[in-house]
Amino acid sequence: MLATRRVFSSSHHHLRPWLTTVNPTILVPRFHRMSAHGQAGQVRTAPDSEVEVPESKKPRVEVKGGDSIVSSTIQRNNKVHMQATNQRPKVEPKKSRRKSKLKKIELPEPCSPEDVLWQEIKLVLGANVVEKAIEEGVQLESPFSPQEEVEVVVKSLSPGGDAIAISTNEKHHKTPWAIVVPFSLPGEIIRAKVYRNARMHSVADFVKVIQPNPELRDDSRIQCRYFGKCGGCQYQMLSYESQLSLKREVIVKAYQKFSGLGQMSVPTVLPTIGSPLQYGYRTKITPHFEAASKSLLKKRQQANIDKDEVKEQPDWLNIGFNVVGTRKVLDIEECPIATPIINEALTTERARVIRSAYTFKRGASLILRDSLDPSITLPPDVTSVSDVDQYLSDALSKHVCITSHKASIREKVGGFLFEYPASSFFQNNNSVLVPLTDYVKEAIFPSGAEKPRPTHLVDTYCGSGLFAITLSPYFKTISGIELSVESIRSAQSNVKLNNSLRAIPSYNKLISSSSSTSSPVTSSTEGPDITFKSGTASDIFSSVSSFPRHETVIVIDPPRKGCDEEFIRQVVQFRPAALVYVSCNVHTQARDVGMLLRMVDEAEEKCDETEKRGRYRLESLRGFDLFPQTAHVESVAVLRLI
Ligand SMILES: C[S@@+](CC[C@H](N)C(=O)[O-])C[C@H]1O[C@@H](n2cnc3c(N)ncnc32)[C@H](O)[C@@H]1O
């Protein structure tokens, strides 16, 4: 899963930046991911059951020094099967020591990924049982030792896509204990191999399905030969419909567990909006690789082998994504959720890394981003271009893959163009951005609304201006704020770029098909007054104090950690007509929305009748699927002043 949404995630991720010092086009911050969005290699789907794998695409199954990970997607007769497991380094069980040293149960940080998993484990084991264990204050002893294989029945899916299961063997039930295992579905019986014990649960590798859930699982849907091993995707064996409904469930549970709101305050979560593309959608991937070990470099030096002499990919060099649940790199030649242009470029980039395999002092990450060709200058100098229509048509259709983090990326979202540095944040699934931004617009301007039509927009955590600019035809005044100075510069130049393009009749003609149908407040020639400011989100309120609050909408789109309390306090004080909270982490969104509604209640209770500003209703909740085949869900919450 992975952008790093951000994908990974970003995420949605534990990221450890690590800067390299070698080849400039691949010198990007290096991230170790525990999970990433959608990163895997490709095989073509066979129409019926199993997936055909061309001979050339069979994974290399290799064991190095006894500790490497072996493909969990074992192939027999050129078919991909969800069977077999990863082989991890042998860890001798330390049973006797652990028995005598019972540790206190330490609870995870609220709303962290560990906490989200823990809440799901509690649900499976029974909250009472867990509370009792916590009260007694001891770490229960795992019934399993590392490396032990166990047959489990899956009870539920965690929001991260891992299954929460319990042993099918009653002798293990004396201790309340869950097993967390990937690639498994509710109701299934799975063979799993424990590799780590933690707070009232063991983490295990998937070994094989003993009894599938026939209503959910169909392994013939799997399009990637690395599925079951790569940490990127979790749901390729599911129908798309099932993926969307699982993602809706994640939102339902997140609001139950993390908002602190009563049932009456939370609306029925609407069905998740799917991505128009379910494969080949991802516009950014960041595969990585390790450098040769010092001893290997020394050996080659002693043997007088030139560092440029690399005939074929060395056995130790894997270029790809992390093996699920590990920091080991899986060699991946193709990622079926990435766009075709990215996959084409991946071959070239891999070859370049292989040629320079012995020149890297450290591991590094590659960056591959799908972009409209930024070498086509925009706006064009219409006086010198002979065929403006053709020129613009090329500019809006010719895709390239950018591999330098310093280069500029160009993307089209409906009738708007966005340019931003390759290293900056931008949503990683272009195909869903028109539905997403249209949805936000429709939430702001619901049909049949009697209240004053909003005229002012505050785009907080605005990045390079996605919401501010796509919503610009509908507002008189817009103000955006963002921490990254680079992104703010992009947002400012994107306003200018789009204004210049709008002045070209051929451009308007070209993009009219993708333009929105509802009537804008401002005409395209007039344009709203848009200002962007760099800073932390709560700083925006000093600049928008003159905005009429009953005609103002705030869009909130924070990173995974959500908003800080100060920001929420300022929103409560300002109290605009509506809030649209877009989030890549529904758990922090639920926490923030709950906190906001409680703060509003408190403020209303404390003040005099004349000072009351009104309460919000959480009007709607809906997921958007920005990352098909992965467990990730984007959640949009709409709050309106009653
Ligand atoms: C999920 S992205 C959304 C960006 C933009 N709305 C979009 O969709 O392209 C979150 C953005 O918040 C920015 N950010 C992180 N912390 C922030 C803060 N405290 N105040 C303002 N912006 C912040 C990040 O740089 C990032 O661009």
Side-chain angles (χ1 to χ4, degrees):
M1 293 168 268
L2 338 245
T4 320
R5 173 166 209 340
R6 198 129 143 183
V7 276
F8 332 146
S9 102
S10 223
S11 143
H12 41 112
H13 316 282
H14 301 282
L15 306 172
R16 180 152 64 85
W18 171 14
L19 283 166
T20 62
T21 47
V22 236
N23 190 333
T25 55
I26 49 173
L27 292 192
V28 294
R30 162 66 197 276
F31 296 112
H32 271 311
R33 299 170 187 205
M34 289 303 287
S35 71
H37 286 304
Q39 299 151 345
Q42 181 174 33
V43 287
R44 304 276 164 238
T45 326
D48 303 314
S49 54
E50 291 161 319
V51 179
E52 295 293 340
V53 182
E55 197 64 32
S56 62
K57 309 228 174 209
K58 284 186 179 181
R60 296 177 312 141
V61 177
E62 46 190 28
V63 180
K64 291 168 278 172
D67 69 347
S68 73
I69 308 294
V70 178
S71 173
S72 64
T73 309
I74 291 277
Q75 295 177 24
R76 284 182 263 110
N77 309 323
N78 280 2
K79 310 278 186 195
V80 172
H81 297 263
M82 275 296 289
Q83 269 201 348
T85 190
N86 300 331
Q87 288 183 359
R88 288 174 188 272
K90 282 241 177 316
V91 180
E92 285 311 317
K94 296 176 185 166
K95 267 198 157 174
S96 52
R97 259 189 71 207
R98 300 174 90 244
K99 249 185 194 159
S100 57
K101 259 195 162 185
L102 290 177
K103 281 187 248 144
K104 281 207 162 184
I105 291 183
E106 278 170 33
L107 293 180
E109 190 189 324
C111 238
S112 63
E114 295 73 31
D115 189 31
V116 171
L117 178 69
W118 174 236
Q119 296 303 328
E120 200 64 34
I121 290 171
K122 268 170 70 174
L123 210 68
V124 168
L125 296 179
N128 294 347
V129 176
V130 174
E131 298 303 337
K132 189 165 167 263
I134 293 169
E135 237 168 63
E136 287 169 6
V138 290
Q139 175 80 60
L140 298 171
E141 185 74 4
S142 169
F144 312 110
S145 46
Q147 301 296 313
E148 187 172 338
E149 285 206 9
V150 53
E151 194 180 284
V152 299
V153 57
V154 176
K155 294 292 177 184
S156 80
L157 271 186
S158 74
D162 285 336
I164 315 289
I166 57 166
S167 168
T168 53
N169 189 335
E170 286 203 354
K171 82 170 190 213
H172 294 138
H173 294 176
K174 281 178 227 144
T175 315
W177 205 264
I179 297 103
V180 176
V181 59
F183 310 117
S184 311
L185 299 170
E188 290 189 330
I189 298 181
I190 301 288
R191 179 160 292 283
K193 189 172 185 179
V194 170
Y195 64 86
R196 185 162 62 82
N197 286 319
R199 181 194 319 104
M200 297 179 82
H201 68 279
S202 301
V203 190
D205 282 324
F206 167 90
V207 178
K208 69 173 179 181
V209 180
I210 294 172
Q211 195 178 299
N213 177 339
E215 278 167 32
L216 288 177
R217 180 182 290 275
D218 180 351
D219 284 355
S220 73
R221 294 189 182 109
I222 298 169
Q223 294 212 12
C224 178
R225 61 197 291 212
Y226 299 112
F227 183 73
K229 189 178 182 196
C230 174
C233 292
Q234 295 76 41
Y235 290 160
Q236 291 193 19
M237 73 299 228
L238 288 170
S239 70
Y240 194 48
E241 206 185 0
S242 303
Q243 294 184 29
L244 296 180
S245 87
L246 278 178
K247 293 180 188 200
R248 182 184 167 277
E249 259 325 283
V250 169
I251 300 177
V252 172
K253 281 191 189 167
Y255 274 79
Q256 282 168 357
K257 293 250 158 275
F258 294 95
S259 70
L261 296 171
Q263 241 182 329
M264 301 296 284
S265 310
V266 181
T268 303
V269 177
L270 297 165
T272 311
I273 303 274
S275 165
L277 294 178
Q278 289 135 37
Y279 279 96
Y281 64 82
R282 209 184 148 105
T283 48
K284 175 190 174 189
I285 61 168
T286 53
H288 47 270
F289 58 92
E290 299 292 351
S293 68
K294 280 193 180 136
S295 60
L296 184 55
L297 289 175
K298 204 170 164 192
K299 255 190 222 160
R300 284 176 59 95
Q301 209 177 10
Q302 280 164 353
N304 247 340
I305 307 173
D306 189 332
K307 60 182 183 324
D308 293 328
E309 194 187 315
V310 187
K311 292 195 183 80
E312 57 184 29
Q313 182 170 359
D315 277 356
W316 57 264
L317 178 62
N318 292 333
I319 310 161
F321 307 109
N322 286 356
V323 174
V324 64
T326 78
R327 286 177 176 174
K328 279 202 171 277
V329 185
L330 181 65
D331 199 50
I332 279 169
E333 306 88 353
E334 258 185 305
C335 172
I337 66 167
T339 64
I341 200 107
I342 284 185
N343 274 310
E344 256 173 54
L346 183 57
T347 309
T348 322
E349 287 301 285
R350 284 173 53 85
R352 198 160 56 75
V353 173
I354 293 166
R355 277 197 308 275
S356 334
Y358 295 98
T359 63
F360 299 104
K361 292 197 175 80
R362 291 181 186 171
S365 280
L366 301 167
I367 186 165
L368 293 98
R369 282 197 102 137
D370 190 323
S371 171
L372 289 172
D373 188 350
S375 70
I376 303 179
T377 309
L378 283 180
D381 175 3
V382 284
T383 54
S384 64
V385 174
S386 57
D387 185 345
V388 182
D389 285 7
Q390 188 56 51
Y391 185 93
L392 286 170
S393 163
D394 286 349
L396 298 190
S397 60
K398 201 172 159 217
H399 284 252
V400 294
C401 181
I402 301 290
T403 56
S404 163
H405 70 291
K406 287 184 184 151
S408 181
I409 308 295
R410 184 182 290 159
E411 277 194 51
K412 178 176 174 292
V413 180
F416 299 92
L417 285 190
F418 291 87
E419 290 182 347
Y420 56 90
S423 55
S424 293
F425 176 85
F426 204 77
Q427 308 284 359
N428 285 340
N429 176 353
N430 182 276
S431 79
V432 78
L433 294 185
V434 170
L436 177 65
T437 51
D438 275 358
Y439 182 81
V440 172
K441 181 192 74 198
E442 278 151 28
I444 295 171
F445 304 105
S447 52
E450 285 162 20
K451 294 193 170 168
R453 191 179 163 93
T455 50
H456 289 62
L457 172 69
V458 184
D459 184 7
T460 59
Y461 309 88
C462 68
S464 40
L466 177 69
F467 291 109
I469 292 173
T470 53
L471 296 170
S472 61
Y474 310 98
F475 288 92
K476 283 183 188 151
T477 312
I478 297 174
S479 187
I481 188 154
E482 155 68 46
L483 206 53
S484 153
V485 177
E486 269 198 331
S487 293
I488 281 296
R489 270 193 218 119
S490 302
Q492 285 159 339
S493 68
N494 285 331
V495 171
K496 287 190 194 138
L497 172 67
N498 283 287
N499 282 342
S500 313
L501 288 167
R502 292 282 164 151
I504 305 171
S506 308
Y507 181 80
N508 287 318
K509 210 167 62 190
L510 254 175
I511 53 102
S512 59
S513 56
S514 47
S515 292
S516 200
T517 46
S518 50
S519 55
V521 167
T522 58
S523 76
S524 57
T525 45
E526 203 182 314
D529 172 17
I530 309 187
T531 50
F532 289 106
K533 170 175 173 169
S534 65
T536 191
S538 52
D539 289 350
I540 195 69
F541 294 93
S542 55
S543 330
V544 299
S545 53
S546 62
F547 282 23
R549 74 177 183 97
H550 283 293
E551 288 161 36
T552 298
V553 172
I554 301 185
V555 169
I556 306 170
D557 184 12
R560 293 190 64 75
K561 67 176 183 198
C563 306
D564 58 40
E565 214 174 309
E566 178 54 22
F567 174 77
I568 296 175
R569 206 187 317 281
Q570 299 266 7
V571 173
V572 170
Q573 212 168 341
F574 185 87
R575 211 98 39 101
L579 296 162
V580 182
Y581 189 146
V582 180
S583 172
C584 54
N585 181 348
V586 65
H587 304 96
T588 51
Q589 183 195 56
R591 175 202 67 196
D592 292 350
V593 167
M595 189 196 295
L596 187 141
L597 292 179
R598 282 187 294 279
M599 276 191 193
V600 168
D601 280 349
E602 260 173 49
E604 287 294 277
E605 274 154 27
K606 269 192 207 151
C607 67
D608 293 341
E609 207 55 40
T610 52
E611 291 170 335
K612 289 200 189 303
R613 305 200 123 204
R615 288 181 154 90
Y616 287 108
R617 183 163 69 93
L618 177 50
E619 186 179 273
S620 65
L621 282 172
R622 190 195 274 280
F624 269 79
D625 190 15
L626 266 66
F627 295 99
Q629 320 308 332
T630 78
H632 178 86
V633 62
E634 193 88 5
S635 170
V636 183
V638 180
L639 293 95
R640 209 174 301 277
L641 218 47
I642 302 170

